[in-house]
Amino acid sequence: MLGTVIALFGVLSAWAWRAGRGRAHSSSEQVADAAEVLARTVRRQWEEEAVLRRLYDPAPLPLVWSGCSHPGVSDHRQLVGTAVVRAGDPQELATAFGSLARRRLVVLGPGGSGKTTFAVLLVLAVLRTRTTGDPVPVLCSLSSFDPARESARNWLRRRIAADYPAMADAENYGASVIEDLLTEHRLVPVLDGLDELPQRSRAAALASLNDTLPSDTPLVLTCRTADYVRAVAEGGVLTGAAVLEPAPVRTSDALELLRLATPPDSRRQEGWAVLAEHLDRRPQPPAAQALTSPLMVALARSVYADNDNDPVELADTERFPTSADIERHLLGGLVPALFHRARRQCPARSWDPRQAHDYLARLAAGMHAQGTYDLAWWRLYQWTPALAGPWRRAWTWAVIMCVGLLLTTSFLVAVLDVPSWPEALWWFPLSALEVLINVPVLGLSGLITTRERGLTRAAAVAAAISMSGGLGAIPAAFYYYHGFPGTVLVAAVGLPCFSLWLVLLGVGLPSPPPVPSRSRPARQHWRRQLIRALVLVVGVTAISESIFAGYTIAGYGAAHPPGTVLWGLVIGTVVGVSLAALNWVRDPSTADEVATARSSIQADRLISLMSGAACVVVFNIANGCMRVMPWTPSDPLRTTIFATVNGGLLGAAIALAAHSWPHYTIARLLLAARGKLPWRLQTFLADAHQLGILRQIGPVYQFRHARLQHHLATQPGAAHPRTDQRPDRPSPVRATST
């Protein structure tokens, strides 16, 4: 016990030393290098996204942006300057933005007016004309910002670190690089979708931007016009920002773009000509009104220009008497048209269009019910009743552990004959009793909403929760040690509590974290990592030797096999390697890459499995001491197997429950088993992203437009995956551009 405590404090001291080392400020050279790496990463990210959205194929829609006509939404003219911009010309766009007095811009417009497209084109235009030392534009979705919980500056710093893992590399760029980039005006935050926030938070978000970012910090903000006017009335204008809004798309420009996007030898060229003639003959027909929206132009391209559908049907005023009817038709035809095209191009990898439409409708309904526009994989557990509540989650894990015990027991009996079938009849019920240890641990952890970060507070919370788990060990301990002195029963409960405490200190509270782990093994600085690992392995091995020597001196040497030195070396090496691997895998990635849904799942899965393996060892070291005492009622071999299996499952379950990937995997399998979502969910989402139905911002997917999400979520048959009923909560209002 004393040696274990010493080992614990040694590990905690190493972690504290590492945390203190990470507080070093970034140098000027590190900040400059980080800016160049970030510029390359952001440009590659949005160049790929522009290809998927076909923003330059055949050319951007010629849309004119000029000063907003609403009074009182812009700061004083002499502070902001003026600009009239054609978004289709990258050079003109970058020049116009650079000519603004403070390079601050608010982009307004109704739903589907091209605000997000403007933001993406602006980011690419600035990056293409950028020289060394110029600021780097970084596009972030505002949907995850809660001004009631954190400031705009802190949220922006956290968002950049999550979306661009290289910026979290303290070894290369220092610990304060993101703060320094903001302070030195080396970043241009492009914040998309103020209207994605709840109405009560928009004015507070504007106030937070004004209060926490200097008024000369470059900034771009997009929002629906009506929502921004209300937010300004409540919280004031964005200081120093010019305000632009678009002119409607000219019908001739829309038809010209659609003709250019259609193959020249296609019969649909004649259809566009007939439609153009129809629009010229009639004043303001429904099709002409619909095609004034960039969103509808993009949908018309997907439904008609890229498929075999005939655009002449848009001229049918009996079928489409209003522009709203045409909009609903285009929204409803998008998903089938894109998946039909994918099936023609690659039948082996395509999804059935009807089934894909149903999957997307259920995803949209689930997001609608959660009141969000972000499809974050680490929150998928909230869609399943078995994982949504803390106590339900605790019992779900208990059932999973019982299944694991049943499979393990069957394997041991069938293959190793340890235990025998008669012994297994009491072994399995006893093991199931010990599973009760995890129920209060997981249940109470889920009730704690704040993640304790201070070492003292974290240790106190972990101790309280581990004591509650010890109560679950009483039935099993009484059954296992019945007839022994009360001190034995006390130790049988106290040692599992101590083991739980060690595990909780290592992995944190066993409840789904607010964000997934984004670490992965760092390939750089491998020599430093190797030296640190060797020091840790040698230190833990020496402590293990001391524990075994003290155990023998105390008179319990007969309780374990002979060879104190050998067993100390083996156990110390195993524990040291486990801790060193866990320490290595937690280092942030230094790769020059953008965090995606797939990469964040892989990173969290890796650290989940490593943590689980390490906690199997950590739990068994302390808890196993009780199992090998001279008073155990079984022979050493069976006792060792019993302790290893039970303790390993308990420790692994707590470690896995503290990460996002295990909860996501359970939820995904449950929903797929009910036919609500595909078994290969991430493959399906990646294909939908490639087709342009979804867009990806960091590790989060979004529908290409809120109107598409709303259409899929509210159409008949789009049942929520959790309740199979229409959600009672109203969908948050948002209208971003394509």
Side-chain angles (χ1 to χ4, degrees), residues 27-64:
S27 64
S28 300
E29 292 78 9
Q30 288 177 319
V31 173
D33 292 343
E36 298 307 312
V37 169
L38 183 61
R40 292 196 303 269
T41 305
V42 173
R43 180 170 181 176
R44 183 171 64 249
Q45 172 192 8
W46 291 108
E47 290 282 6
E48 294 174 356
E49 196 70 20
V51 171
L52 294 177
R53 300 187 189 187
R54 301 189 175 187
L55 297 185
Y56 296 101
D57 180 18
L61 189 64
L63 199 60
V64 178

Side-chain angles (χ1 to χ4, degrees), residues 139 443 452 505 713:
L139 196 156
E452 300 293 344
L505 280 181

Side-chain angles (χ1 to χ4, degrees), residues 286-599:
Q289 298 175 33
L291 292 179
T292 59
S293 166
L295 172 62
M296 293 302 132
V297 176
L299 295 182
R301 171 180 179 165
S302 298
V303 174
Y304 295 106
D306 298 334
N307 284 277
D308 293 333
N309 301 318
D310 191 349
V312 173
E313 65 183 7
L314 295 178
D316 187 351
T317 55
E318 293 184 1
R319 181 181 176 187
F320 306 116
T322 66
S323 61
D325 295 319
I326 291 182
E327 292 174 359
R328 284 192 293 269
H329 167 69
L330 293 176
L331 287 168
L334 176 67
V335 174
L338 291 176
F339 276 98
H340 274 298
R341 187 186 70 185
R343 170 162 284 194
R344 290 197 308 269
Q345 294 175 348
C346 184
R349 290 192 55 192
S350 63
W351 301 81
D352 178 74
R354 183 181 296 275
Q355 188 179 47
H357 184 276
D358 292 342
Y359 287 150
L360 289 169
R362 293 189 182 105
L363 287 171
M367 296 162 66
H368 177 98
Q370 296 293 327
T372 182
Y373 298 103
D374 292 343
L375 182 57
W377 62 267
W378 57 92
R379 298 195 190 104
L380 191 67
Y381 74 93
Q382 298 174 351
W383 296 21
T384 56
L387 297 174
W391 292 108
R392 289 182 178 183
R393 193 160 52 242
W395 284 107
T396 299
W397 276 100
V399 171
I400 293 174
M401 291 177 61
C402 286
V403 173
L405 284 170
L406 180 61
L407 295 176
T408 304
T409 303
S410 301
F411 172 79
L412 293 176
V413 171
V415 178
L416 303 179
D417 194 25
V418 178
S420 61
W421 281 113
E423 290 177 312
L425 294 178
W426 63 264
W427 184 4
F428 179 75
L430 177 59
S431 301
L433 278 176
E434 289 201 322
V435 168
L436 296 176
I437 295 176
N438 274 5
V439 173
V441 173
L442 285 120
L444 291 176
S445 298
L447 297 176
I448 300 177
T449 56
T450 58
R451 314 288 290 188
E452 300 293 344
R453 297 187 181 278
L455 181 58
T456 303
R457 296 179 63 184
V461 171
I465 293 179
S466 62
M467 290 178 63
S468 69
L471 299 177
I474 292 177
F478 183 80
Y479 179 88
Y480 192 73
Y481 298 106
H482 180 65
F484 287 89
T487 54
V488 176
L489 294 177
V490 171
V493 175
L495 281 170
C497 288
F498 184 67
S499 300
L500 289 172
W501 184 65
L502 293 178
V503 172
L504 293 178
L505 280 181
V507 299
L509 297 180
S511 62
V515 294
S517 303
R518 60 179 183 269
S519 301
R520 54 180 287 182
R523 295 180 176 86
Q524 297 181 1
H525 312 293
W526 64 270
R527 291 185 178 86
R528 188 179 304 172
Q529 294 286 350
L530 180 60
I531 294 174
R532 189 183 304 167
L534 290 175
V535 171
L536 189 58
V537 170
V538 171
V540 173
T541 303
I543 294 172
S544 177
E545 284 290 296
S546 301
I547 293 174
F548 268 80
Y551 196 68
T552 303
I553 294 172
Y556 295 109
H560 59 76
T564 300
V565 175
L566 176 62
W567 282 96
L569 287 175
V570 170
I571 294 179
T573 303
V574 170
V575 176
V577 170
S578 300
L579 292 176
L582 192 59
N583 183 61
W584 173 55
V585 80
R586 281 177 171 167
D587 276 355
S589 168
T590 57
D592 182 9
E593 62 183 15
V594 180
T596 63
R598 190 178 296 275
S599 68

Side-chain angles (χ1 to χ4, degrees), residues 4 150 165 239 306 347 364 410 513 533 672:
T4 304
E150 59 184 338
T239 306
D306 298 334
S410 301

